[in-house]
Amino acid sequence: MSDSKTNKCSHQPCVCVPSAGEKYCSQFCKDAGSEETEIACDCGHAPCAK
Ligand SMILES: [Zn+2]
Ligand SMILES: [Zn+2]
């Protein structure tokens, strides 16, 4: 069992994992993080790219 916490990006639709101590994986998510109407993430990272 790992004791590492799940540290998903705080931007709801984003599935990326931010750097340690960060709430968001990118500036994009940091800007979008307060928007509750977002339905898709466009941060550009591979996990979110369609
Ligand atoms: Zn993302
Ligand atoms: Zn993100």
Side-chain angles (χ1 to χ4, degrees):
M1 294 287 285
S2 173
D3 64 353
S4 60
K5 296 184 221 172
T6 300
N7 191 31
K8 198 183 80 65
C9 180
S10 293
H11 184 211
Q12 287 296 325
C14 183
V15 296
C16 299
V17 177
S19 300
E22 298 291 333
K23 290 176 63 179
Y24 300 98
C25 72
S26 63
Q27 185 64 45
F28 177 91
C29 289
K30 195 170 186 178
D31 290 343
S34 61
E35 300 290 335
E36 296 186 2
T37 55
E38 293 287 326
I39 59 172
C41 181
D42 192 27
C43 69
H45 295 139
C48 293
K50 292 288 190 272

